[in-house]
Amino acid sequence: MSTELSEAPKRAAGALGALAERLDIEPKRMSEVLKATAFKACKNDEQFAALIIVANTYGLNPLLKELYAFPGRVARSFQSSQSMAGSVSLTTIHE
């Protein structure tokens, strides 16, 4: 019988870390990929963080086109949009 305590799994730091862990990718690489693809409309880190939080809150995967960012009507703003794939994903999870 072993008296050693097993190490607790390391928790991802922050929202980006949680999303990266869920998608099994390094957080830095996740940031680069999202900024170059689904979240191109983000003009600053605050907008990027807001979309990451939305993705985590609803369990959406922006790489599967379940969540997008679009430029807003007002300068320096953005709008997030959930795709049909995202809606189906949420419906399937909640059934």
Side-chain angles (χ1 to χ4, degrees), residues 15-92:
L16 180 62
L19 181 62
E21 184 177 304
R22 184 165 51 96
L23 300 178
D24 195 27
I25 188 172
E26 292 294 320
K28 183 177 180 181
R29 184 68 181 139
M30 170 64 75
S31 175
E32 293 167 355
V33 169
L34 289 176
K35 286 180 179 181
T37 57
F39 296 168
K40 279 184 185 178
C42 294
K43 300 298 181 198
N44 56 43
D45 289 338
E46 290 77 16
Q47 293 176 352
F48 183 74
L51 286 168
I52 294 295
I53 291 168
V54 170
N56 281 334
T57 300
Y58 295 104
L60 298 173
N61 183 344
L63 299 176
L64 294 178
K65 300 180 181 179
E66 294 178 349
L67 180 67
Y68 292 98
F70 295 101
R73 294 180 187 168
V74 180
R76 297 184 306 156
S77 70
F78 77 101
Q79 174 179 340
S80 65
S81 178
Q82 179 183 351
S83 70
M84 186 60 137
S87 297
V88 170
S89 175
L90 286 177
T91 302
T92 305

